[in-house]
Amino acid sequence: MKNFVVKTIANAGALAVAIWLLQDITLTGDSTGRKVLTLIVVALLFGVVNFVVKPVVKLLTLPLFILTLGLITLVVNALMLMLTSWLAGLIDVSFHVDGFWTAVLGGLIISVVSWALNVVLPDED
């Protein structure tokens, strides 16, 4: 359970950095508390997408992973971010990623920041 909380906090921090750095990734809310709640909901949604959908996509694109020496990971991360944005729109959460190249850059930022936060934060259960 503690590992789940740590990963959610890392995802929320990484998403916050991407939102802060890229103007085409937006998260809106009436107040700071509402924005934080929205960010946590988006982090949970992003975690579920990465847990359920990403392994299936990686398996289906395994030849491309081998062919591109793993660079297709950037595209897969971008697609997971865009899927999160789409799902957030379906459940009426005010998070939006505008465009594929923004998603690629956002996915790169989220990957780096999430990795750094997972190194710093404790992960034992």
Side-chain angles (χ1 to χ4, degrees):
M1 183 67 179
K2 189 174 181 182
N3 192 23
F4 173 75
V5 172
V6 168
K7 287 189 182 289
T8 301
I9 291 170
N11 275 341
L15 283 162
V17 170
I19 291 165
W20 179 62
L21 289 176
L22 301 174
Q23 67 182 6
D24 289 335
I25 298 178
T26 56
L27 179 105
T28 55
D30 299 335
S31 64
T32 303
R34 182 77 173 156
K35 286 182 182 180
V36 169
L37 182 63
T38 302
L39 184 63
I40 291 170
V41 169
V42 171
L44 287 169
L45 187 61
F46 187 65
V48 169
V49 165
N50 279 330
F51 181 75
V52 175
V53 179
K54 192 173 185 177
V56 174
V57 172
K58 278 187 166 184
L59 182 64
L60 293 175
T61 60
L62 185 61
L64 288 174
F65 273 95
I66 295 168
L67 185 65
T68 63
L69 302 174
L71 288 176
I72 196 72
T73 304
L74 293 172
V75 175
V76 171
N77 288 342
L79 293 174
M80 296 305 107
L81 189 59
M82 291 181 75
L83 179 60
T84 301
S85 173
W86 180 72
L87 290 172
L90 288 179
I91 61 172
D92 201 29
V93 174
S94 57
F95 173 76
H96 182 69
V97 178
D98 189 27
F100 176 74
W101 292 110
T102 301
V104 170
L105 190 54
L108 181 62
I109 291 168
I110 290 168
S111 295
V112 170
V113 173
S114 181
W115 170 81
L117 288 175
N118 280 317
V119 167
V120 173
L121 294 173
D123 64 349
E124 66 273 351
D125 278 331

